[in-house]
Amino acid sequence: MLRLAAFGAAGCAAALWLVLADAAPEGRRDGSPTRWPWTVTGIAAFVAGLAFGPVAAGLAGAVVGICAWCAALIARSRRRVAAAESVAQFASILSNQAQVSRTVVDALETAAPLATGPIAEAAARFVAECRSAGVEAAAQRFATGTEGAVAAWLADAVAVAASSGGEWVPILGVLESEAAEDAATARHFHRHVAANLPQLGLSAALGSAVALGSALVSPEAWAWLTGAQGQRVGLAAVTIATAICARPLASAWELTR
């Protein structure tokens, strides 16, 4: 019993570390919250560990953590689709205006009010800073924002065109194609990857429900599960299952950057 209590205390301490530590040091470039899945996982493991022991802590942490990260990835993918489509629309409008405008600033002033979605505010700020600080400085600030790589390329093209005075309409045409392709890629990822992530969380929940249900209906199985050998086997199974699920989740998270 003391050994099981020690395992439970260690599991709860690890759960609290996940809650308090900065588990996502890469930052939040797109503004999405990256700590709440760790917080939910830590709380679930902490409560289950205090109530039922280390196996329950690991099982609750694994199931809740996988489901929480699936939910975070779906929300992150939706934001990425919205941002990519907004940038593609703005690039298309700016490319069309470039063909009839005399200067870069004229094209921006006409295109910015027509932008919609997440980039609308950034586009309006871009135009305002073009008037106050100049096109190059405004483009630098726009490129370091949270609108993605295609928006940064767009800002660079605008800055180069404004400084050199060269032919910039073909460049914006290329960027329009790049933005449309990026939006199509984001939609494809969301439709074929992110939208299917709930199945991963459901599989983890169903697997744990089957294991716990079998133990609850059989006193012998429950006695074995709460024993020392069952605790070791349960923790090993939870660790392996978490590692299997963590790899696709980590890859999907990197792809949504």
Side-chain angles (χ1 to χ4, degrees):
M1 183 63 66
L2 290 177
R3 182 178 298 178
L4 293 181
F7 276 120
C12 293
L16 285 176
W17 180 84
L18 290 177
V19 175
L20 299 175
D22 189 4
E26 73 276 4
R28 300 193 297 266
R29 178 173 173 79
D30 63 348
S32 60
T34 56
R35 287 190 58 151
W36 73 263
W38 294 104
T39 303
V40 173
T41 302
I43 292 173
F46 179 76
V47 173
L50 288 181
F52 302 105
V55 170
L59 187 61
V63 173
V64 174
I66 291 170
C67 293
W69 279 107
C70 288
L73 270 166
I74 293 172
R76 184 182 176 101
S77 179
R78 285 175 180 167
R79 285 191 296 270
R80 181 171 178 262
V81 170
E85 290 179 342
S86 181
V87 171
Q89 183 209 34
F90 180 61
S92 176
I93 296 172
L94 186 59
S95 178
N96 292 333
Q97 291 299 323
Q99 300 177 18
V100 297
S101 299
R102 297 180 58 185
T103 64
V104 177
V105 177
D106 291 340
L108 284 172
E109 289 179 346
T110 306
L114 302 177
T116 60
I119 204 174
E121 183 179 352
R125 187 169 60 249
F126 190 9
V127 174
E129 291 178 351
C130 282
R131 299 192 189 103
S132 60
V135 178
E136 294 185 17
Q140 275 187 336
R141 296 176 185 174
F142 185 80
T144 56
T146 60
E147 289 75 34
V150 177
W153 299 339
L154 181 64
D156 292 340
V158 170
V160 170
S163 61
S164 63
E167 187 68 23
W168 60 293
V169 176
I171 299 176
L172 288 180
V174 173
L175 285 172
E176 179 186 2
S177 300
E178 291 289 336
E181 184 177 351
D182 184 65
T185 301
R187 288 191 296 267
H188 181 83
F189 176 87
H190 184 76
R191 186 181 304 114
H192 296 285
V193 179
N196 294 320
L197 285 176
Q199 299 178 10
L200 189 64
L202 182 61
S203 299
L206 287 177
S208 62
V210 169
L212 286 178
S214 302
L216 289 175
V217 299
S218 173
E220 293 81 5
W222 179 259
W224 179 83
L225 184 62
T226 55
Q229 184 178 5
Q231 296 280 302
R232 288 193 292 267
V233 173
L235 287 174
V238 168
T239 302
I240 294 172
T242 303
I244 292 173
C245 295
R247 183 169 183 179
L249 287 175
S251 300
W253 190 266
E254 289 296 323
L255 290 173
T256 55
R257 276 184 164 183

